[in-house]
Amino acid sequence: MNREPSRGGMRNMTEGSPAGHIFYFALPLLAGSFLQQLYNMVDSWVVGQYVGDGALAAVGVGFPVIFMFTSLFMGLSNGGTVVIAQFYGAGRMDRVRDAVDTIYTAFVFSAVPITALAVALVRPILLLMRMEESAYHEAWLYLIVVCAGLIGTIGYNLNAGILGGLGNSRTTLLFLAIAAGMNIFLDLLLVLACGMGVLGVALGTVISQAFSWLFGLTYINRKYPDIAIRPFCRRFDRHLFRQIMGIGLPAGIQMSLVAIGAMAVMSKINSYGKEFTAAYNVGSKLDQLAFLPVQSLSNAVTAFVGQNIGAKRLDRARRGIRVTVAASVVWSAVMLVLIPLGPALVGCFSDTPAVIQAGAVYLRCIMPFYVLFSVMFCLNNAMRGAGDSLFPMLDVIFSLILVRVPAVYWFAGRYGPDYMYYGVGVGWIVGFTLSVAYYLSGRWKRKGSLAEENQ
């Protein structure tokens, strides 16, 4: 079944300039990611300035926990992006329709059990993370509320994954803009006007994400009736689901284990007190802000490679990968400016000297290694777009968990907390080396087009 080069926001990336397609796709993702990071930073700024360092620490602890529970569905979303991109690149819109129905059927039947499990595990996880007693209650309250509302976050990511496979990142930006605007408004209303503290921040996050997801459903169904989302249609293609999970499950497991590794690192950070936890929250928000362009480019190259593999255009796929890696390296080099600006930037969130100092140390240790992590991230996403999801998973598990976590503990024990973040850099060096070696070996090209398996 043929499809036109660009229709209704869908973008055919198998012809024309690879760089043009990648940047065109990445820019809306980047704008959306900045909006998402903006309202995450507003959460931290509001609680840091108007509630206290304990609340700031609580919000920071919440991120890896929430990420762990949403990771499997993000894996489903990533797998959907690759499969849809390859079918779209091959002109198989009938199979795109089947993939959308299969993804949402899986979501409907598993979202509630995952949510219940997340709520039940909040207390044990906080105990394992050695959360300081003075911040424990606020962290527990924040996580209970956000975990109870996971369905909105998961639904948004599924919508974004479906549209990403079709080369449409502009609509995802619209969904994020709505969520960001609502979250900032609700933060100011519930925390400053109503005095609800951490509870207000959590409710603002849950409500804004749920509204963005539901708005996305309505918008997609009206704007793109040929891929209309029918959550309760119960159309489920087992073979197609196996293909989606063959790519998405390793990605989901990878992200879940990375979140567990991050919690293990945070457990060590928490042992030094709430000032270090608060500083880590602020520092990680700033370095994530620096990472957003790389993340957007990597998501773009996943869809680009997927469509071109589906169209049997390996030469274009490789050209797109080279463009993405080069742009990411340049951006990472520019972001070294965060090191001298560190104290002033951290000071925008907290006026506690210990928090400012610890946050500046975090940036000084992390940022010199960011270029290596950027290359690793881009190559792994590109290879995932080609259908090879196993190696990226193994690379991340080995480097970011089996190497990074012990290295953080070793540096902390040997040299003290001001040096523990160099362990993160050690993990990135290992991951960079492995991903470059595997990419150059060419083994990732052996998967071929998934569309050929569904003739």
Side-chain angles (χ1 to χ4, degrees), residues 299-310:
N299 289 337
V301 83
T302 299
F304 180 86
V305 170
Q307 285 197 17
N308 281 282
I309 291 293

Side-chain angles (χ1 to χ4, degrees), residues 27-33 35-36 39 156 159-160 163 168-182 208 211-213 215-220 223-224:
L27 284 175
L29 290 179
L30 176 59
S33 296
L35 285 173
Q36 191 170 39
Y39 73 72
Y156 161 78
N159 290 348
L163 291 173
N168 182 354
S169 56
R170 291 176 294 170
T171 304
T172 303
L173 172 60
L174 174 63
F175 303 158
L176 268 176
I178 291 171
M182 284 195 66
S208 60
F211 187 85
S212 178
W213 166 50
F215 176 81
L217 282 177
T218 303
Y219 184 94
I220 291 172
K223 190 74 174 179
Y224 312 110

Side-chain angles (χ1 to χ4, degrees), residues 139-431:
W140 175 85
L141 179 62
Y142 179 81
L143 281 172
I144 284 290
V145 174
V146 176
C147 285
L150 280 178
I151 188 170
T153 302
I154 294 169
Y156 161 78
N157 279 291
L158 292 182
N159 290 348
I162 291 167
L163 291 173
L166 297 168
N168 182 354
S169 56
R170 291 176 294 170
T171 304
T172 303
L173 172 60
L174 174 63
F175 303 158
L176 268 176
I178 291 171
M182 284 195 66
N183 192 78
I184 292 171
F185 170 76
L186 291 172
D187 273 356
L188 298 176
L189 174 66
L190 299 177
V191 177
L192 301 187
C194 301
M196 297 179 68
V198 168
L199 176 60
V201 172
L203 287 173
T205 298
V206 168
I207 294 170
S208 60
Q209 288 281 5
F211 187 85
S212 178
W213 166 50
L214 295 175
F215 176 81
L217 282 177
T218 303
Y219 184 94
I220 291 172
N221 288 351
R222 289 183 178 178
K223 190 74 174 179
Y224 312 110
D226 52 338
I227 60 163
I229 296 172
R230 301 171 293 176
F232 303 104
C233 69
R234 296 189 178 184
R235 290 189 69 243
F236 187 80
D237 187 314
R238 292 185 180 181
H239 177 67
L240 194 53
F241 183 71
R242 284 195 295 270
Q243 288 186 319
I244 293 170
M245 293 309 294
I247 298 168
L249 185 60
I253 292 172
Q254 165 195 314
M255 289 184 282
S256 294
L257 292 177
V258 167
I260 292 172
M263 287 189 287
V265 171
M266 185 164 281
S267 177
K268 187 64 176 177
I269 295 168
N270 292 342
S271 69
Y272 293 110
K274 65 182 181 183
E275 288 80 11
F276 263 88
T277 305
Y280 178 77
N281 177 20
V282 175
S284 61
K285 290 288 190 299
L286 293 172
D287 86 64
Q288 287 166 23
L289 190 64
F291 184 63
L292 292 182
V294 175
Q295 184 181 46
S296 300
L297 287 167
S298 298
N299 289 337
V301 83
T302 299
F304 180 86
V305 170
Q307 285 197 17
N308 281 282
I309 291 293
K312 301 180 182 179
R313 296 293 308 275
L314 179 60
D315 57 325
R316 284 181 54 80
R318 295 178 67 176
R319 286 165 57 196
I321 294 170
R322 289 195 294 268
V323 167
T324 303
V325 170
S328 298
V329 168
V330 171
W331 176 256
S332 299
V334 171
M335 283 298 99
L336 291 174
V337 72
L338 286 180
I339 296 176
L341 295 178
L345 293 172
V346 177
C348 294
F349 295 85
S350 174
D351 55 7
T352 303
V355 173
I356 294 173
Q357 179 184 357
V361 166
Y362 172 85
L363 292 173
R364 187 172 68 244
C365 295
I366 290 290
M367 295 311 299
F369 299 96
Y370 238 88
V371 64
L372 302 181
F373 181 58
S374 297
V375 173
M376 167 189 168
F377 198 84
C378 289
L379 291 180
N380 284 347
N381 270 31
M383 291 185 285
R384 190 175 290 116
D388 188 343
S389 195
L390 181 60
F391 170 78
M393 179 189 74
L394 297 176
D395 181 29
V396 169
I397 290 174
F398 182 73
S399 61
L400 300 191
I401 300 174
L402 299 180
V403 174
R404 181 184 65 167
V405 175
V408 167
Y409 277 72
W410 185 84
F411 274 102
R414 184 67 180 270
Y415 300 107
D418 284 350
Y419 294 87
M420 61 182 168
Y421 300 117
Y422 284 118
V424 176
V426 171
W428 289 352
I429 291 171
V430 173

